[in-house]
PDB file of all heavy atoms in Angstrom:
ATOM      1  N   LEU K 333     -87.337  12.931-112.332  1.00 96.00           N
ATOM      2  CA  LEU K 333     -88.075  14.006-111.676  1.00 96.00           C
ATOM      3  C   LEU K 333     -88.273  13.756-110.188  1.00 96.00           C
ATOM      4  O   LEU K 333     -88.440  14.704-109.414  1.00 96.00           O
ATOM      5  CB  LEU K 333     -89.424  14.196-112.359  1.00 96.00           C
ATOM      6  CG  LEU K 333     -89.386  14.572-113.843  1.00 96.00           C
ATOM      7  CD1 LEU K 333     -90.793  14.635-114.415  1.00 96.00           C
ATOM      8  CD2 LEU K 333     -88.673  15.906-114.049  1.00 96.00           C
ATOM      9  N   TYR K 334     -88.280  12.498-109.758  1.00 96.00           N
ATOM     10  CA  TYR K 334     -88.517  12.162-108.356  1.00 96.00           C
ATOM     11  C   TYR K 334     -87.229  11.936-107.571  1.00 96.00           C
ATOM     12  O   TYR K 334     -87.274  11.525-106.411  1.00 96.00           O
ATOM     13  CB  TYR K 334     -89.398  10.913-108.257  1.00 96.00           C
ATOM     14  CG  TYR K 334     -90.764  11.059-108.894  1.00 96.00           C
ATOM     15  CD1 TYR K 334     -91.435   9.949-109.399  1.00 96.00           C
ATOM     16  CD2 TYR K 334     -91.378  12.302-108.986  1.00 96.00           C
ATOM     17  CE1 TYR K 334     -92.690  10.082-109.978  1.00 96.00           C
ATOM     18  CE2 TYR K 334     -92.628  12.437-109.564  1.00 96.00           C
ATOM     19  CZ  TYR K 334     -93.280  11.326-110.061  1.00 96.00           C
ATOM     20  OH  TYR K 334     -94.530  11.456-110.632  1.00 96.00           O
ATOM     21  N   GLN K 335     -86.074  12.159-108.193  1.00 94.00           N
ATOM     22  CA  GLN K 335     -84.771  11.993-107.538  1.00 94.00           C
ATOM     23  C   GLN K 335     -84.577  10.577-107.009  1.00 94.00           C
ATOM     24  O   GLN K 335     -83.940  10.366-105.967  1.00 94.00           O
ATOM     25  CB  GLN K 335     -84.609  13.005-106.387  1.00 94.00           C
ATOM     26  CG  GLN K 335     -85.052  14.412-106.689  1.00 94.00           C
ATOM     27  CD  GLN K 335     -84.296  15.064-107.840  1.00 94.00           C
ATOM     28  OE1 GLN K 335     -83.220  14.632-108.230  1.00 94.00           O
ATOM     29  NE2 GLN K 335     -84.860  16.117-108.402  1.00 94.00           N
ATOM     30  N   LEU K 336     -85.091   9.575-107.714  1.00 94.00           N
ATOM     31  CA  LEU K 336     -84.931   8.183-107.273  1.00 94.00           C
ATOM     32  C   LEU K 336     -83.466   7.755-107.333  1.00 94.00           C
ATOM     33  O   LEU K 336     -82.985   7.006-106.475  1.00 94.00           O
ATOM     34  CB  LEU K 336     -85.778   7.262-108.161  1.00 94.00           C
ATOM     35  CG  LEU K 336     -87.288   7.514-108.145  1.00 94.00           C
ATOM     36  CD1 LEU K 336     -87.993   6.526-109.061  1.00 94.00           C
ATOM     37  CD2 LEU K 336     -87.854   7.410-106.735  1.00 94.00           C
ATOM     38  N   GLU K 337     -82.775   8.235-108.334  1.00 92.00           N
ATOM     39  CA  GLU K 337     -81.353   7.918-108.473  1.00 92.00           C
ATOM     40  C   GLU K 337     -80.569   8.382-107.238  1.00 92.00           C
ATOM     41  O   GLU K 337     -79.582   7.756-106.840  1.00 92.00           O
ATOM     42  CB  GLU K 337     -80.802   8.587-109.741  1.00 92.00           C
ATOM     43  CG  GLU K 337     -79.382   8.197-110.093  1.00 92.00           C
ATOM     44  CD  GLU K 337     -78.854   8.953-111.304  1.00 92.00           C
ATOM     45  OE1 GLU K 337     -79.661   9.609-112.003  1.00 92.00           O
ATOM     46  OE2 GLU K 337     -77.643   8.896-111.531  1.00 92.00           O
ATOM     47  N   TYR K 338     -81.031   9.471-106.629  1.00 92.00           N
ATOM     48  CA  TYR K 338     -80.339  10.026-105.476  1.00 92.00           C
ATOM     49  C   TYR K 338     -80.407   9.083-104.276  1.00 92.00           C
ATOM     50  O   TYR K 338     -79.475   9.025-103.467  1.00 92.00           O
ATOM     51  CB  TYR K 338     -80.961  11.377-105.122  1.00 92.00           C
ATOM     52  CG  TYR K 338     -80.212  12.144-104.064  1.00 92.00           C
ATOM     53  CD1 TYR K 338     -78.870  12.499-104.246  1.00 92.00           C
ATOM     54  CD2 TYR K 338     -80.837  12.531-102.886  1.00 92.00           C
ATOM     55  CE1 TYR K 338     -78.192  13.214-103.276  1.00 92.00           C
ATOM     56  CE2 TYR K 338     -80.155  13.254-101.915  1.00 92.00           C
ATOM     57  CZ  TYR K 338     -78.837  13.585-102.117  1.00 92.00           C
ATOM     58  OH  TYR K 338     -78.149  14.282-101.159  1.00 92.00           O
ATOM     59  N   TYR K 339     -81.510   8.334-104.154  1.00 91.00           N
ATOM     60  CA  TYR K 339     -81.628   7.357-103.059  1.00 91.00           C
ATOM     61  C   TYR K 339     -80.551   6.282-103.194  1.00 91.00           C
ATOM     62  O   TYR K 339     -79.901   5.894-102.214  1.00 91.00           O
ATOM     63  CB  TYR K 339     -83.011   6.708-103.074  1.00 91.00           C
ATOM     64  CG  TYR K 339     -84.119   7.611-102.601  1.00 91.00           C
ATOM     65  CD1 TYR K 339     -84.857   8.357-103.501  1.00 91.00           C
ATOM     66  CD2 TYR K 339     -84.435   7.722-101.250  1.00 91.00           C
ATOM     67  CE1 TYR K 339     -85.878   9.201-103.081  1.00 91.00           C
ATOM     68  CE2 TYR K 339     -85.452   8.557-100.813  1.00 91.00           C
ATOM     69  CZ  TYR K 339     -86.166   9.298-101.736  1.00 91.00           C
ATOM     70  OH  TYR K 339     -87.173  10.133-101.310  1.00 91.00           O
ATOM     71  N   THR K 340     -80.357   5.783-104.407  1.00 91.00           N
ATOM     72  CA  THR K 340     -79.330   4.765-104.632  1.00 91.00           C
ATOM     73  C   THR K 340     -77.937   5.347-104.464  1.00 91.00           C
ATOM     74  O   THR K 340     -77.028   4.688-103.940  1.00 91.00           O
ATOM     75  CB  THR K 340     -79.492   4.163-106.033  1.00 91.00           C
ATOM     76  OG1 THR K 340     -80.828   3.680-106.187  1.00 91.00           O
ATOM     77  CG2 THR K 340     -78.519   3.014-106.262  1.00 91.00           C
ATOM     78  N   TYR K 341     -77.757   6.584-104.883  1.00 92.00           N
ATOM     79  CA  TYR K 341     -76.473   7.267-104.752  1.00 92.00           C
ATOM     80  C   TYR K 341     -76.054   7.339-103.282  1.00 92.00           C
ATOM     81  O   TYR K 341     -74.890   7.132-102.936  1.00 92.00           O
ATOM     82  CB  TYR K 341     -76.590   8.660-105.369  1.00 92.00           C
ATOM     83  CG  TYR K 341     -75.430   9.593-105.091  1.00 92.00           C
ATOM     84  CD1 TYR K 341     -74.225   9.470-105.778  1.00 92.00           C
ATOM     85  CD2 TYR K 341     -75.541  10.616-104.145  1.00 92.00           C
ATOM     86  CE1 TYR K 341     -73.165  10.328-105.537  1.00 92.00           C
ATOM     87  CE2 TYR K 341     -74.490  11.487-103.897  1.00 92.00           C
ATOM     88  CZ  TYR K 341     -73.309  11.333-104.593  1.00 92.00           C
ATOM     89  OH  TYR K 341     -72.261  12.188-104.349  1.00 92.00           O
ATOM     90  N   LYS K 342     -77.014   7.647-102.401  1.00 90.00           N
ATOM     91  CA  LYS K 342     -76.702   7.778-100.974  1.00 90.00           C
ATOM     92  C   LYS K 342     -76.499   6.425-100.294  1.00 90.00           C
ATOM     93  O   LYS K 342     -75.646   6.291 -99.415  1.00 90.00           O
ATOM     94  CB  LYS K 342     -77.829   8.537-100.272  1.00 90.00           C
ATOM     95  CG  LYS K 342     -77.924  10.000-100.640  1.00 90.00           C
ATOM     96  CD  LYS K 342     -78.870  10.750 -99.715  1.00 90.00           C
ATOM     97  CE  LYS K 342     -80.276  10.216 -99.819  1.00 90.00           C
ATOM     98  NZ  LYS K 342     -81.218  10.966 -98.929  1.00 90.00           N
ATOM     99  N   SER K 343     -77.272   5.410-100.705  1.00 89.00           N
ATOM    100  CA  SER K 343     -77.254   4.127 -99.996  1.00 89.00           C
ATOM    101  C   SER K 343     -76.317   3.092-100.615  1.00 89.00           C
ATOM    102  O   SER K 343     -75.780   2.234 -99.914  1.00 89.00           O
ATOM    103  CB  SER K 343     -78.678   3.551 -99.944  1.00 89.00           C
ATOM    104  OG  SER K 343     -79.566   4.458 -99.334  1.00 89.00           O
ATOM    105  N   HIS K 344     -76.137   3.155-101.934  1.00 90.00           N
ATOM    106  CA  HIS K 344     -75.337   2.133-102.630  1.00 90.00           C
ATOM    107  C   HIS K 344     -74.448   2.819-103.668  1.00 90.00           C
ATOM    108  O   HIS K 344     -74.626   2.652-104.875  1.00 90.00           O
ATOM    109  CB  HIS K 344     -76.252   1.105-103.314  1.00 90.00           C
ATOM    110  CG  HIS K 344     -77.364   0.599-102.437  1.00 90.00           C
ATOM    111  ND1 HIS K 344     -77.161  -0.349-101.458  1.00 90.00           N
ATOM    112  CD2 HIS K 344     -78.676   0.931-102.380  1.00 90.00           C
ATOM    113  CE1 HIS K 344     -78.313  -0.595-100.842  1.00 90.00           C
ATOM    114  NE2 HIS K 344     -79.242   0.164-101.383  1.00 90.00           N
ATOM    115  N   TYR K 345     -73.493   3.592-103.160  1.00 90.00           N
ATOM    116  CA  TYR K 345     -72.694   4.436-104.045  1.00 90.00           C
ATOM    117  C   TYR K 345     -71.936   3.637-105.105  1.00 90.00           C
ATOM    118  O   TYR K 345     -71.916   4.023-106.285  1.00 90.00           O
ATOM    119  CB  TYR K 345     -71.712   5.275-103.224  1.00 90.00           C
ATOM    120  CG  TYR K 345     -70.788   6.107-104.086  1.00 90.00           C
ATOM    121  CD1 TYR K 345     -71.252   7.247-104.718  1.00 90.00           C
ATOM    122  CD2 TYR K 345     -69.453   5.729-104.275  1.00 90.00           C
ATOM    123  CE1 TYR K 345     -70.422   8.011-105.518  1.00 90.00           C
ATOM    124  CE2 TYR K 345     -68.617   6.488-105.071  1.00 90.00           C
ATOM    125  CZ  TYR K 345     -69.102   7.627-105.697  1.00 90.00           C
ATOM    126  OH  TYR K 345     -68.265   8.376-106.488  1.00 90.00           O
ATOM    127  N   LYS K 346     -71.329   2.522-104.715  1.00 89.00           N
ATOM    128  CA  LYS K 346     -70.537   1.748-105.681  1.00 89.00           C
ATOM    129  C   LYS K 346     -71.415   1.218-106.809  1.00 89.00           C
ATOM    130  O   LYS K 346     -71.023   1.253-107.981  1.00 89.00           O
ATOM    131  CB  LYS K 346     -69.826   0.596-104.974  1.00 89.00           C
ATOM    132  CG  LYS K 346     -68.689   1.051-104.064  1.00 89.00           C
ATOM    133  CD  LYS K 346     -67.962  -0.145-103.458  1.00 89.00           C
ATOM    134  CE  LYS K 346     -66.802   0.320-102.582  1.00 89.00           C
ATOM    135  NZ  LYS K 346     -66.096  -0.832-101.955  1.00 89.00           N
ATOM    136  N   ASP K 347     -72.605   0.728-106.451  1.00 88.00           N
ATOM    137  CA  ASP K 347     -73.533   0.259-107.488  1.00 88.00           C
ATOM    138  C   ASP K 347     -73.983   1.407-108.369  1.00 88.00           C
ATOM    139  O   ASP K 347     -74.095   1.266-109.592  1.00 88.00           O
ATOM    140  CB  ASP K 347     -74.755  -0.410-106.841  1.00 88.00           C
ATOM    141  CG  ASP K 347     -74.437  -1.813-106.346  1.00 88.00           C
ATOM    142  OD1 ASP K 347     -73.373  -2.347-106.715  1.00 88.00           O
ATOM    143  OD2 ASP K 347     -75.249  -2.360-105.581  1.00 88.00           O
TER     144      ASP K 347
END
Side-chain angles (χ1 to χ4, degrees):
L333 300 176
Y334 299 152
Q335 316 300 342
L336 299 180
E337 187 184 348
Y338 188 59
Y339 287 94
T340 306
Y341 169 77
K342 291 191 298 181
S343 303
H344 313 282
Y345 176 75
K346 289 184 178 179
D347 283 347

